[in-house]
Amino acid sequence: MSLIVFPFKEETLEVVAANLTTAATHDRVHEVWAVGAADNITTDRVADLGRDISVAHSKPVEVFAQERLGTFRSGKGDGMNTAIRRAAERGFDRIHFYDADITNFDHGWIDGAEEAADRGFGVVRHRFPRAATDAMITWMVTRPGLATLFPGTILPRLGQPLGGELLLTESAVAALASDDAVVARSDWGIDTMITHRTAALGLDIYEHNAPDGKRHALYGSLTDIRDMTLECLDAVSSLADAARPTSTFEPDPPAPVPDDLKEVVGYDTASTRESIATQPSGEETAVLDELGADGSTDLGGEEWLDVFPRLMRGFDLDSPGWRAAAFRLWVRRVLHYTENVVPSGYDPATNYLEGTILSFEAQADKHGRP
Ligand code: DGY
């Protein structure tokens, strides 16, 4: 029995309708759920859509609001955990998660995950090519964090540790439903926690490549993803004493990246630079001093390699000074990469980024965990 779950916020209804229909019309899918964020003005409209799609395709399509389960900001984590808890109670063999805003979702995503699960993989993660300036939290925070904490393991090798598109088999769902740290993580940190825990369960993990990429709305200024950046930094920092992974990992072979994706611009540089034009407050300055960073210049790869482990070790999600300093330094790192590396072209930029992850692993191998 396979279940498809779409956590959603305020989405374009046509896109959600198309995705619910795609899921409901797949032979292997027994049920479809859409889990709405709290206070979501589109939940009632999505519920109407769900009823129509359910009748049209004779398949249960349930739309409901997420429960308040966690202890962090109520966000995507509460949505995923609400679905994980219900799915564990209902005994589905497989649960797929997909973001509701994918504009090119089709049966190929479901087939890719189901086929790998048929071959015995306990967790299937979807990977997809992304623009050279997209995925800036993945490249500058989550993968460096995993490389620093778990060098030489599968965790730094996962292409998209923040990916919200994955298939979990029954034993993974049961383990996550009863893991207090996963249930607590109600915010954007949920993906990092699920990634770590599934890698520590000893299940075989497959990474399926969706070769066309995931088409979805990109960002304006990087301030649009400020909370996400800080919550993902906090989540990876929280793994400092966590178990080393025991799962095995097999990725799909690399595939060519669509030409148009190579041209996509991930965010707006000018408004992003404006967002860090303000002078740091006293609290922020104290944190920058503690980190040995002045915050007034952009950061190249070597500088980020140096400061990031200290940033991860000291980070305090509840402290305005730490939040402001972490965001400023990350923005300055992303701007430096965008202006100095991206102009060399898509493939050199992506190879460069992979190289930075190897440098974090090499540094951690030499000096141990921060
Ligand atoms: C990431 O970095 O992967 C986030 O999705 C933001 O793009």
Side-chain angles (χ1 to χ4, degrees):
M1 284 218 307
S2 290
L3 163 72
I4 305 267
V5 178
F6 296 98
F8 70 98
K9 280 197 302 187
E10 279 145 32
E11 315 285 353
T12 310
L13 291 171
E14 292 72 30
V15 175
V16 178
N19 290 342
L20 293 178
T21 303
T22 300
T25 52
H26 194 288
D27 291 349
R28 304 284 295 264
V29 173
H30 291 81
E31 207 160 312
V32 182
W33 295 353
V35 188
D39 301 328
N40 184 337
I41 52 165
T42 57
T43 300
D44 288 347
R45 302 283 305 280
V46 174
D48 291 342
L49 289 175
R51 266 188 297 276
D52 294 348
I53 293 166
S54 177
V55 170
H57 302 289
S58 312
K59 187 96 31 115
V61 178
E62 284 186 36
V63 180
F64 49 89
Q66 67 190 32
E67 294 166 46
R68 180 66 177 129
L69 298 176
T71 54
F72 290 86
R73 186 185 61 77
S74 181
K76 183 185 176 192
D78 271 343
M80 290 188 79
N81 281 320
T82 298
I84 287 171
R85 178 175 283 192
R86 283 200 193 200
E89 286 163 4
R90 295 270 302 274
F92 287 95
D93 302 322
R94 297 174 182 176
I95 159 168
H96 297 234
F97 280 98
Y98 297 102
D99 284 356
D101 66 343
I102 313 179
T103 53
N104 62 330
F105 183 62
D106 60 18
H107 284 178
W109 293 72
I110 303 174
D111 291 336
E114 288 283 330
E115 280 159 19
D118 290 347
R119 284 185 278 133
F121 288 92
V123 174
V124 187
R125 310 181 55 90
H126 292 283
R127 177 188 85 213
F128 36 86
R130 300 181 71 177
T133 48
D134 188 16
M136 288 294 104
I137 304 172
T138 296
W139 283 115
M140 304 300 182
V141 174
T142 309
R143 291 191 62 187
L146 295 174
T148 301
L149 296 175
F150 306 99
T153 72
I154 67 165
L155 279 168
R157 301 274 69 76
L158 299 176
Q160 270 151 226
L162 290 186
E165 287 73 28
L166 74 172
L167 176 154
L168 303 168
T169 50
E170 199 175 5
S171 56
V173 172
L176 294 173
S178 59
D179 186 319
D180 290 344
V182 172
V183 177
R185 200 81 226 190
S186 39
D187 60 7
W188 288 114
I190 187 64
D191 301 301
T192 309
M193 296 308 292
I194 290 180
T195 297
H196 172 268
R197 291 308 200 261
T198 49
L201 280 176
L203 297 168
D204 296 333
I205 300 179
Y206 194 77
E207 199 171 54
H208 165 257
N209 185 40
D212 284 344
K214 172 181 149 186
R215 307 307 169 111
H216 64 126
L218 289 174
Y219 316 108
S221 159
L222 287 180
T223 49
D224 292 359
I225 51 171
R226 187 179 197 269
D227 285 346
M228 192 192 291
T229 308
L230 300 175
E231 291 168 6
C232 291
L233 173 60
D234 188 64
V236 76
S237 309
S238 77
L239 298 175
D241 298 316
R244 279 175 75 83
T246 50
S247 299
T248 65
F249 168 54
E250 192 180 320
D252 259 351
V257 175
D259 283 340
D260 68 311
L261 197 74
K262 293 185 174 181
E263 307 304 323
V264 170
V265 177
Y267 71 95
D268 180 57
T269 327
S271 57
T272 298
R273 204 169 269 296
E274 241 175 75
S275 75
I276 51 157
T278 51
Q279 283 304 310
S281 67
E283 275 171 299
E284 184 184 348
T285 304
V287 172
L288 291 169
D289 288 348
E290 187 179 330
L291 290 170
D294 79 4
S296 66
T297 52
D298 294 348
L299 282 85
E302 288 300 317
E303 288 150 311
W304 193 237
L305 186 64
D306 175 52
V307 79
F308 182 78
R310 294 195 293 284
L311 180 60
M312 197 167 55
R313 189 171 50 231
F315 186 63
D316 177 355
L317 185 60
D318 295 326
S319 150
W322 275 97
R323 290 177 71 96
F327 183 68
R328 182 185 301 273
L329 294 175
W330 171 75
V331 166
R332 287 209 171 275
R333 171 66 190 119
V334 175
L335 286 168
H336 188 282
Y337 156 76
T338 303
E339 290 169 359
N340 294 278
V341 181
V342 175
S344 60
Y346 185 88
D347 294 324
T350 308
N351 292 339
Y352 165 86
L353 289 170
E354 278 297 345
T356 65
I357 305 306
L358 296 176
S359 302
F360 275 102
E361 277 191 273
Q363 173 171 266
D365 265 341
K366 210 154 127 202
H367 302 299
R369 283 182 169 197

